[in-house]
Amino acid sequence: MAERVKALAAAQHAAIELVFHPQCFRSAGHFAGTDAERAAALIEIANDPSFDALWFGRGGYGSCRIAEDALSQLSPAARAKTYLGYSDAGVLLAGLYAKGFPAVVHGPMPADIARGGGEAAVARALSYLSNCAADAVEPTVASAGKVVAFNIMTFSQLIGTPLQPDLTGHVLMLEEVSEYMYRIDRSLFHITSNPAVRRVAGIRLGRCSAIPDNDPDFGQGEVDVVRHWCAKAGIAYLGRADIGHDADNKIVPFGGLATA
Amino acid sequence: MAERVKALAAAQHAAIELVFHPQCFRSAGHFAGTDAERAAALIEIANDPSFDALWFGRGGYGSCRIAEDALSQLSPAARAKTYLGYSDAGVLLAGLYAKGFPAVVHGPMPADIARGGGEAAVARALSYLSNCAADAVEPTVASAGKVVAFNIMTFSQLIGTPLQPDLTGHVLMLEEVSEYMYRIDRSLFHITSNPAVRRVAGIRLGRCSAIPDNDPDFGQGEVDVVRHWCAKAGIAYLGRADIGHDADNKIVPFGGLATA
């Protein structure tokens, strides 16, 4: 995957030099290296001023295991850098945004190259990293003011921790993959019941894909579920967002375009 | 199931009169009746002083959908009653305990009769409801001081909501079923990262059963995972608890025996 992404970058953006940290190719049980190895790699690249961006290689699971330690060891140089990823990497995006980092971005990762049509997703990320290409950005962001985007379960399991950012006045975009509808419903209960989340400007729903069949049928789709919980919480439901665990996943710069 | 539980109660505890509310036999998509029907049944029985206890029929999913509305409509009479259940019903147990109800109890439910050996679980619950039978109670409770018990995912998705009880100084018992080990790990990150949870006296781990295979192997079992997160959070790990989604599930009166 790394070679394919490097070749694509070389063909489309000669000015971009992509470096895959050796940790990306490590393996330790469920993870790409031990917690210590993964935290050290993150800290090394984040604190190195010769890199313009830190691009998370893939999602899956494990960011939360290194978040508190890694975020506490970032230097001032780490703030002058773009951080791009989504899914499980949202744990770190949340923590970076909570710390006031100015260029935290939700969007495709190198591992998306393995999807059908995934070259388009990776090319979109590269275009954004190269020149903040406007057509790479989620279309409602331009008029949204402050905005963030998260995977539903990832965001749910940040609530009430020091990684939860203050989203007052933000449009909160949410997407999900491979979760039963009853679990999406439960996570939306959780998210919309948090008093701090209730201060968002509204919620936009990205794609919820690969939802396993509910037995019996849940009786409501993801839009019904989000509308239900927004109505109970007094949060505005603003419609759909063009994000998801797929090749069409668009870029969402946290904070909106003003800070991108 | 209701007939089997009634027969068992009649054979063992002639003084107990069990009433199954008609709502238990309703069906609406995923749920045993609509949100309105389920909330109304809960409020009706809770507020009726002629009932000594409200015994949740089964877990599954759906308590969170009625919790905020139902809990806000309970009368003073509702406090003088035992509430018994576990799993998803933990949402309501949490909310009742957060409101200061004195007899909130984690333990077997009528639907446990369908498990192999489930008669023993149901008999244990009936013994506790009948006479607070000491041998029905989880064995470490007697020396635990204040104590509560929850399903891991259910508790995780209460954090940062008005349903989260103040567990300062409590032993927190946690159990899980049918969750991947990486999800148990993630939920333990979430639970132990919450500043209020860090004020517990310690965590005891109940059984984690029917864990689907992780690919690749996660490399850690549930005790390793809980020890890891307790150590990071500065929470005492106190050992195992005799609770779980099984016929051996023992009774845990919230607050401990002093308030039972």
Side-chain angles (χ1 to χ4, degrees), chain A residues 71-94:
Chain A
L71 294 175
S72 68
Q73 293 179 60
L74 299 186
S75 70
R79 302 179 83 86
K81 183 174 272 119
T82 298
Y83 295 82
L84 175 60
Y86 73 109
S87 192
D88 180 70
V91 175
L92 290 161
L93 300 182

Side-chain angles (χ1 to χ4, degrees), chain A residues 61 65 156-157 185 190, chain B residues 61 65 156-157 159 185 190:
Chain A
Y61 171 68
R65 291 182 63 97
S156 164
Q157 297 212 302
D185 191 71
H190 185 213
Chain B
Y61 171 68
R65 292 183 62 98
S156 163
Q157 299 217 301
I159 289 176
D185 192 71
H190 185 213

Side-chain angles (χ1 to χ4, degrees), chain B residues 108-120:
Chain B
M109 297 180 289
D112 284 307
I113 197 98
R115 296 186 187 279
E119 288 85 357

Side-chain angles (χ1 to χ4, degrees), chain A residues 133-204:
Chain A
D135 63 355
V137 176
E138 202 280 339
T140 68
V141 168
S143 56
K146 291 187 285 188
V147 61
V148 291
F150 288 101
N151 171 260
I152 287 175
M153 182 57 79
T154 302
F155 185 67
S156 164
Q157 297 212 302
L158 290 174
I159 288 176
T161 78
L163 299 171
Q164 182 179 354
D166 178 3
L167 299 183
T168 302
H170 287 63
V171 173
L172 172 58
M173 296 181 177
L174 295 169
E175 60 81 37
E176 191 51 276
V177 65
S178 301
E179 294 284 355
Y180 285 97
M181 190 58 71
Y182 85 87
R183 289 179 179 240
I184 294 175
D185 191 71
R186 184 170 61 187
S187 294
L188 264 297
F189 149 75
H190 185 213
I191 291 169
T192 60
S193 296
N194 179 257
V197 171
R198 289 190 174 183
R199 295 195 292 268
V200 299
I203 287 177
R204 275 191 184 274

Side-chain angles (χ1 to χ4, degrees), chain B residues 70-215:
Chain B
L71 294 176
S72 68
Q73 293 177 62
L74 299 186
S75 69
R79 302 179 84 88
K81 182 174 271 120
T82 298
Y83 296 82
L84 175 60
Y86 73 109
S87 192
D88 180 70
V91 175
L92 290 161
L93 299 182
L96 291 164
Y97 194 61
K99 288 169 81 81
F101 278 48
V104 178
V105 184
H106 187 275
M109 297 180 289
D112 284 307
I113 197 98
R115 296 186 187 279
E119 288 85 357
V122 173
R124 190 178 308 122
L126 289 165
S127 292
Y128 185 81
L129 290 172
S130 172
N131 55 18
C132 294
D135 63 355
V137 175
E138 202 280 338
T140 69
V141 168
S143 57
K146 290 187 286 186
V147 60
V148 292
F150 288 101
N151 171 261
I152 287 175
M153 182 57 79
T154 301
F155 185 67
S156 163
Q157 299 217 301
L158 289 174
I159 289 176
T161 77
L163 299 172
Q164 182 179 353
D166 178 3
L167 299 183
T168 302
H170 287 63
V171 174
L172 171 59
M173 296 182 176
L174 295 169
E175 60 81 36
E176 190 52 276
V177 64
S178 301
E179 294 283 354
Y180 285 97
M181 191 57 72
Y182 86 87
R183 288 180 180 240
I184 293 175
D185 192 71
R186 184 171 62 188
S187 293
L188 264 297
F189 149 76
H190 185 213
I191 290 169
T192 61
S193 296
N194 178 257
V197 171
R198 290 188 174 184
R199 295 195 293 267
V200 298
I203 288 178
R204 276 191 184 273
L205 182 61
R207 287 175 288 282
C208 295
S209 55
I211 298 171
D213 284 342
N214 209 81
D215 181 24

